[in-house]
Amino acid sequence: MIAGIGVDAVKISRMEKWANNPVLLERFFDKREINIIRERGKNMTRSLASHFAAKEAFGKALGTGFTGIKLRDIMVLNRNNEKPLLHVEGSALEAMKICGASKVHVSLTHDGNMAMAFVVLEV
């Protein structure tokens, strides 16, 4: 059974200034996620945008937004061409449990200057 769904879109160009700003990166992304994003090389900004969209979509799927949730506790941990995995821990995992969900699914895409994420929370 579905506990919640969320979708978000982020302009890739918005992430250009983030790519070279370690303070911003560490504020919103876990170090494991930053390493995966940096592996993308010239596609780093696309990955930043889709990963950030996934975080936003997760908050929307909860139905509560990010109240009490650290964005670093929501991570896309895919590598190369693997299926993306939305890993949650800490405050995000607790919020997911409170809403009654036990599984999370994510789909990411980008086209032109937009990146999108779709998240489903499952009981």
Side-chain angles (χ1 to χ4, degrees), residues 4 11 32 35 41 51 65 77 82-83 87 90 93 96 109 116 121:
K11 283 186 178 179
R32 293 167 283 180
N35 289 336
H51 286 222
L77 296 179
E82 294 178 12
K83 175 182 172 183
H87 174 76
L93 181 59
M96 196 170 98
T109 191
M116 295 181 65
L121 298 179

Side-chain angles (χ1 to χ4, degrees), residues 29-84:
F29 299 93
D30 179 87
K31 290 180 192 238
R32 293 167 283 180
E33 191 173 22
I34 292 169
N35 289 336
I36 290 168
I37 290 168
R38 284 194 173 131
E39 288 176 4
R40 303 289 185 200
K42 67 178 184 173
N43 292 321
M44 182 177 172
T45 53
R46 282 191 338 178
S47 291
L48 277 171
S50 62
H51 286 222
F52 194 76
K55 295 169 189 284
E56 293 279 350
F58 178 81
K60 291 173 182 176
L62 287 174
T64 60
F66 294 117
T67 304
I69 297 175
K70 296 176 186 172
L71 290 179
R72 289 185 313 266
D73 287 346
I74 307 163
M75 296 163 263
V76 178
L77 296 179
N78 63 330
R79 292 193 184 275
N80 299 323
N81 291 325
E82 294 178 12
K83 175 182 172 183

